[in-house]
Amino acid sequence: MKLAILGGSFNPIHIGHLALADEVCRSLGYDRILFIPACKPPHKEARDVVSAGDRLEMVRLACAGDERFGAESCEIDRGGTSYTWDTVLCLEQKYASVLEGKIGLIMGDDLLPGFHLWRNAEGLARKCQLILARRPMTVESAAHANKPHGAYAQADFASNLDYDFAADPLFSAAVRLDNAVLPLSSTDIRTRAGEGGGFKYLVPAAVFQYIIERRLYTHGNN
């Protein structure tokens, strides 16, 4: 089985995430994509973040309609700050009997300038097949954005428009994905949900219903 992983807060998961996973399967021949909600991302401030249980359940609901997709809870189960290196080691062991080749690590191009700051980035670049996906360049609301902090803020893609990933040796064996760039962000969806705006067709139907029923992202429910 060719396995790739897509991590993030998934706060909430939306159709852009699913479209990206579909493109990885179609273009690169991966059989299975695991969506991995972070317990606590090491590189972002946490604002408007609903519980880990809610985020994991939304991922499960989103994946339910496609047998290629699955929700993986290892980072939430582990607790604390979520490091991709630990996750890859865990999944290599978990799927050792069926894993074919390297695990694919899907990364948005907004993360590339700061990748060298990740725990054991060089090890990840050797151990995984890095899959570099295009992401929309968005300007997020200061009130709702989960912004990079510390050293990650200095390496933020928006502040490094001249960054050349092709010249970075960490990405010498990476695959560039020519995926569709959908102008969606979880930040915008949270804002719309909190303000009573429309977002019904920006997330899977089951996720929309879950957000509405549990009144997620409304005042006092973050």
Side-chain angles (χ1 to χ4, degrees), residues 11 14-15 23 34-35 45 73 75 82 90 102 106 121 124 126 163-164 167 173-174 187-188 193 196 198 201 204:
N11 185 42
H14 56 65
I15 61 172
E23 187 64 37
L34 294 180
F35 293 81
E45 299 173 358
S73 65
E75 292 189 354
S82 301
C90 171
K102 297 181 177 181
I106 306 168
L124 281 172
R126 291 192 303 268
Y163 172 74
D164 181 9
T187 297
D188 180 57
Y201 297 109

Side-chain angles (χ1 to χ4, degrees), residues 91-99:
L91 295 179
E92 281 185 331
Q93 182 176 15
K94 181 176 180 178
Y95 292 96
S97 63
V98 296
L99 191 61

Side-chain angles (χ1 to χ4, degrees), residues 9-12 45-51 55 58 141-146 186-191 194 216-222:
S9 299
F10 298 119
N11 185 42
E45 299 173 358
R47 298 184 186 178
D48 298 343
V49 179
V50 297
S51 74
R55 291 185 290 113
M58 286 189 284
S141 162
H144 293 274
N146 293 332
S186 296
T187 297
D188 180 57
I189 292 168
R190 293 194 303 272
T191 301
L216 301 183
Y217 309 116
T218 59
H219 182 69
N221 286 280
N222 294 331

Side-chain angles (χ1 to χ4, degrees), residues 193-215:
E195 296 176 351
F199 67 100
K200 182 175 183 178
Y201 297 109
L202 305 182
V203 298
V207 173
F208 175 79
Q209 193 64 32
Y210 187 86
I211 291 172
I212 295 300
E213 289 180 355
R214 294 184 63 86
R215 296 177 56 81

